[in-house]
């Protein structure tokens, strides 16, 4: 169902600022857009992946952390200060945020989803290289190109490299019980300090044990610590739990037992919330019309009304299970949020190659315009950090995952993640590019994708002949193309063109 979203160009509302707000103090690449001060937009909790620092960027808001003593982070996982956070970690911020994209944090909270040994690492079985699956203490974890990876590289995992150490994972739980990682880091092994989350299969309080996947959790009711108001009696009805303790083979001796990470989305003393999560259950209208209706994500029911703003031209039928989105709204009860705004946070376009030019919040790769926002994460493949200002020009390969948009006659990618290769590209490769995006025009000699006119003769088409692509395009079908191309003088020339649905590279 995600293909529906990939197969569209998302349009910005006329007059909106395309690249968000990035303050002069840095973070998210540290550009500088001056936007007029705004009033308070929300007071409550903001939960989402960190996209930058100086102070902390979450959900496109720069939260100032000066009011938090020592910039402390509430955590029992060793992430005790802001300086120990990383891009991609899913953070809960309690405070207020304003119309100008800034906010004030009163409290920061972080909790690992999983921490422990890795079993098998399996690449995308389709061969498309869109994701890698890790088995962490029996839990399935999806690592994709939007995941921030530390201690290894996505390319290494994709190539079949196994992980011999332990990993720290910050992830969203999906409807089928698997996880989608926002952040993964290889850490030193420590079997005395693991963290397991997952579906509870069986419970036997008489034996003081329960099963999460393949792991038997044992506890001493006199010594174990229960969190979030949980009691031993609650274990009988729990669908998913989080456990920390010592792992001995397939037995985990629990020191703490808590509710699963859905508690990060719980209601605070104030009713406003903005949160990023994966949709658990698709949108369903509640009446004869398309609105009102509701869907679920992060364990919360999200109610859509006639006043709900759908950004990026998302349609209601595209709010389907598995899509990563951001919702801003108000709690109507402890489990129901009325959405004021819904924004896409899943990539549907990409470009790879060396950067030709870079200006404030905009750079170009292979003719594709890339715009940076306050939700953009900058990383180097080796796991170190970088920024927009440090992007190499003309020497090193950069890969961008983002959302395809258009504003007037301009077509561009709004970047979600920008990753710089850790080695300088060979001289012969510096005019070679790859992109993926929606076909917007085609002739017998050219194609236009992501706003780039590319010379394309019949011999460049791989899985489908040129005539078929032309016919399907003329019939109104939305086609996503993957294109490998090169630059010759001022012209771009296609070397290989493939439909995204047929990609097996």
């Amino acid at each position: 169902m995600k293909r529906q979203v990939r197969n569209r160009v998302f349009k910005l509302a006329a007059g909106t600022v395309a690249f968000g707000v990035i303050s002069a103090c840095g973070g998210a690449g540290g550009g500088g857009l001056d936007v007029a001060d705004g009033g308070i937009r929300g007071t409550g909790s903001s939960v989402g992946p960190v996209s930058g620092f100086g102070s902390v960027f979450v959900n496109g808001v720069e939260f100032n952390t000066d009011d938090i003593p020592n910039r402390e982070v509430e955590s029992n996982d060793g992430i005790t200060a802001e300086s120990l956070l990383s891009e991609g970690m899913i953070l809960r911020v309690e405070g207020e945020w304003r119309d100008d994209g800034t906010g004030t944090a009163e409290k920061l909270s972080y909790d690992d989803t999983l921490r422990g040994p890795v079993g098998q690492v399996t690449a995308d079985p389709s061969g498309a290289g869109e994701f890698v699956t890790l088995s962490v203490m029996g839990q399935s974890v999806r690592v994709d190109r939007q995941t921030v990876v530390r201690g290894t590289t996505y390319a290494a995992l994709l190539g079949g490299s196994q992980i011999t150490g332990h990993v720290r994972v910050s992830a969203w739980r999906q409807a089928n019980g698997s996880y989608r990682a926002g952040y993964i880091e290889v850490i030193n092994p420590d079997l005395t300090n693991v963290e397991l989350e997952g579906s509870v299969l069986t419970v036997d309080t008489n034996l003081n044990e329960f099963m999460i996947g393949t792991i038997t959790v044992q506890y001493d009711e006199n010594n174990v610590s229960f969190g979030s108001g949980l009691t031993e009696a609650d274990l009988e009805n729990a669908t998913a739990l989080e456990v920390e303790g010592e792992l001995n083979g397939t037995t985990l001796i629990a020191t703490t037992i808590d509710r699963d990470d859905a508690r990060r989305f719980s209601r605070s003393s104030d009713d406003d919330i903005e949160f990023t999560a994966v949709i658990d259950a698709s949108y369903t209208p509640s009446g004869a019309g398309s609105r009102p209706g509701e869907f679920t994500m992060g364990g919360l029911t999200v109610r859509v009304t006639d006043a709900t703003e759908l950004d990026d031209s998302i349609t209601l039928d595209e709010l389907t299970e598995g899509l990563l989105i951001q919702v801003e709204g108000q709690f109507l009860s402890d489990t129901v949020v009325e959405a004021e705004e819904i924004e896409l946070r899943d990539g549907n376009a990409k470009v790879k190659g060396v950067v030709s030019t870079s200006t404030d919040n905009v750079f170009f790769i292979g003719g594709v315009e890339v715009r940076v926002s306050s939700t953009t994460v900058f990383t180097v493949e080796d796991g170190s950090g970088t920024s927009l200002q440090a992007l190499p020009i003309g020497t090193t390969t950069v890969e961008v995952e983002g959302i395809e948009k258009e504003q007037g006659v301009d077509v561009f990618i709004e970047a979600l993640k920008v990753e710089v290769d850790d080695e300088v590209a060979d001289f012969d490769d510096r005019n070679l590019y790859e992109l993926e995006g929606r076909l917007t025009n085609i002739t017998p000699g050219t194609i236009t994708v992501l706003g780039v006119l590319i010379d394309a003769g019949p011999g460049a088409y791989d899985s489908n002949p040129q005539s078929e692509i032309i016919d399907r395009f003329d019939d109104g079908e939305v086609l996503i193309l993957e294109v490998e191309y090169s630059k010759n003088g001022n012209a771009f020339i296609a070397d290989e063109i493939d439909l995204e649905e047929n990609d097996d590279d």
Side-chain angles (χ1 to χ4, degrees):
M1 297 300 293
K2 180 180 173 182
R3 179 67 51 79
Q4 291 177 314
V5 176
R6 296 179 63 85
N7 289 355
R8 306 190 58 222
V9 174
F10 297 102
K11 299 181 180 180
L12 291 176
T16 59
V17 177
F19 5 97
V21 180
I22 305 177
S23 80
C25 68
L33 280 180
D34 293 325
V35 180
D37 290 341
I40 299 298
R41 192 173 84 229
T43 302
S45 56
S46 180
V47 187
V50 175
S51 58
F53 295 96
S55 299
V56 175
F57 283 79
V58 174
N59 292 328
V61 175
E62 181 200 10
F63 285 96
N64 187 296
T65 56
D66 289 346
D67 291 342
I68 300 176
N70 301 316
R71 290 184 167 82
E72 179 183 9
V73 176
E74 183 180 273
S75 171
N76 60 359
D77 299 329
I79 309 297
T80 56
E82 179 188 321
S83 60
L84 299 176
L85 293 169
S86 174
E87 292 89 347
M89 287 182 170
I90 302 169
L91 185 69
R92 177 181 170 112
V93 182
E94 293 183 34
E96 63 181 26
W97 53 98
R98 294 176 281 276
D99 286 327
D100 64 357
T102 65
T104 302
E106 298 173 357
K107 181 180 178 181
L108 306 177
S109 304
Y110 172 79
D111 185 41
D112 288 337
T113 306
L114 297 162
R115 189 176 62 255
V118 179
Q120 188 66 26
V121 178
T122 307
D124 179 358
S126 73
E130 295 297 329
F131 64 92
V132 176
T133 302
L134 278 62
S135 176
V136 182
M137 294 176 289
Q139 300 301 304
S140 177
V141 179
R142 176 187 171 114
V143 178
D144 58 36
R145 295 184 184 276
Q146 283 184 229
T147 306
V148 176
V149 179
R150 306 292 194 212
T152 183
T153 66
Y154 180 76
L157 296 175
L158 197 61
S161 176
Q162 301 298 304
I163 296 176
T164 56
H166 287 196
V167 292
R168 179 194 300 276
V169 179
S170 184
W172 295 277
R173 180 178 167 83
Q174 302 187 108
N176 63 1
S178 66
Y179 291 87
R180 175 175 174 175
Y183 176 85
I184 181 169
E185 176 189 7
V186 179
I187 60 176
N188 292 328
D190 184 358
L191 291 172
T192 68
N193 183 25
V194 303
E195 183 165 343
L196 172 66
E197 181 182 306
S199 300
V200 178
L201 302 182
T202 61
V203 179
D204 191 333
T205 54
N206 292 322
L207 294 177
N208 292 353
E209 67 179 36
F210 54 91
M211 293 283 296
I212 294 181
T214 59
I215 303 295
T216 300
V217 178
Q218 297 179 345
Y219 62 92
D220 181 342
E221 70 270 26
N222 296 316
N223 295 317
V224 71
S225 174
F226 288 98
S228 305
L230 194 71
T231 66
E232 184 180 20
D234 295 327
L235 300 181
E236 296 282 359
N237 299 315
T239 57
L241 290 171
E242 173 190 285
V243 181
E244 294 187 75
E246 181 174 348
L247 186 64
N248 297 313
T250 58
T251 300
L252 176 55
I253 309 301
T255 55
T256 66
I257 301 174
D258 206 341
R259 303 183 191 277
D260 73 310
D261 274 349
R263 69 184 190 277
R264 60 165 71 115
F265 305 116
S266 61
R267 189 178 191 176
S268 68
S269 57
D270 294 296
D271 286 337
D272 295 325
I273 184 172
E274 52 179 9
F275 67 117
T276 297
V278 173
I279 294 178
D280 300 320
S282 303
Y283 175 82
T284 304
S286 57
S290 61
R291 300 191 194 192
E294 59 189 34
F295 59 95
T296 64
M297 57 185 278
L300 298 174
T301 296
V302 179
R303 188 165 296 169
V304 180
T305 71
D306 290 338
T308 302
E309 180 182 349
L310 301 178
D311 283 359
D312 305 312
S313 297
I314 301 174
T315 61
L316 294 172
D317 62 354
E318 290 168 341
L319 296 174
T320 56
E321 179 184 321
L323 187 68
L324 185 67
I325 63 170
Q326 178 180 322
V327 171
E328 183 172 1
Q330 272 198 335
F331 279 99
L332 300 182
S333 70
D334 288 345
T335 59
V336 178
V337 172
E338 184 173 277
E340 297 171 0
E341 185 174 350
I342 299 174
E343 181 178 353
L344 184 67
R345 292 294 296 271
D346 236 335
N348 63 2
K350 66 182 70 171
V351 64
K352 181 178 180 180
V354 298
V355 177
S356 57
T357 60
S358 177
T359 58
D360 193 20
N361 296 306
V362 178
F363 60 92
F364 287 83
I365 297 176
V368 177
E369 179 180 349
V370 179
R371 298 189 184 182
V372 175
S373 80
S374 50
T375 57
T376 304
V377 172
F378 284 84
T379 69
V380 179
E381 186 183 22
D382 64 9
S384 58
T386 188
S387 66
L388 174 64
Q389 290 78 11
L391 278 185
I393 307 297
T395 59
T396 305
T397 299
V398 174
E399 186 167 358
V400 176
E401 294 282 326
I403 301 170
E404 181 176 353
K405 296 185 176 183
E406 65 179 31
Q407 188 176 36
V409 298
D410 294 331
V411 178
F412 58 93
I413 295 179
E414 184 172 283
L416 293 169
K417 182 183 176 187
V418 177
E419 183 171 89
V420 180
D421 201 338
D422 54 9
E423 295 183 359
V424 174
D426 293 339
F427 185 81
D428 292 340
D429 294 335
R430 296 182 187 180
N431 282 319
L432 301 180
Y433 306 95
E434 300 174 23
L435 63 74
E436 179 179 322
R438 179 178 181 266
L439 177 65
T440 54
N441 194 40
I442 184 170
T443 72
T446 66
I447 57 172
T448 302
V449 182
L450 294 178
V452 182
L453 179 67
I454 303 173
D455 293 340
Y461 291 82
D462 186 19
S463 301
N464 305 76
Q466 182 188 61
S467 58
E468 177 190 339
I469 301 296
I470 292 176
D471 289 343
R472 291 172 64 174
F473 179 80
D474 288 344
D475 287 342
E477 186 174 347
V478 177
L479 302 174
I480 302 296
L481 297 186
E482 288 209 352
V483 184
E484 297 180 13
Y485 62 112
S486 56
K487 188 175 184 180
N488 186 356
N490 292 322
F492 294 109
I493 303 170
D495 300 316
E496 184 175 304
I497 302 170
D498 198 4
L499 279 174
E500 186 267 345
E501 63 193 36
N502 296 326
D503 178 33
D504 60 358
D505 295 332

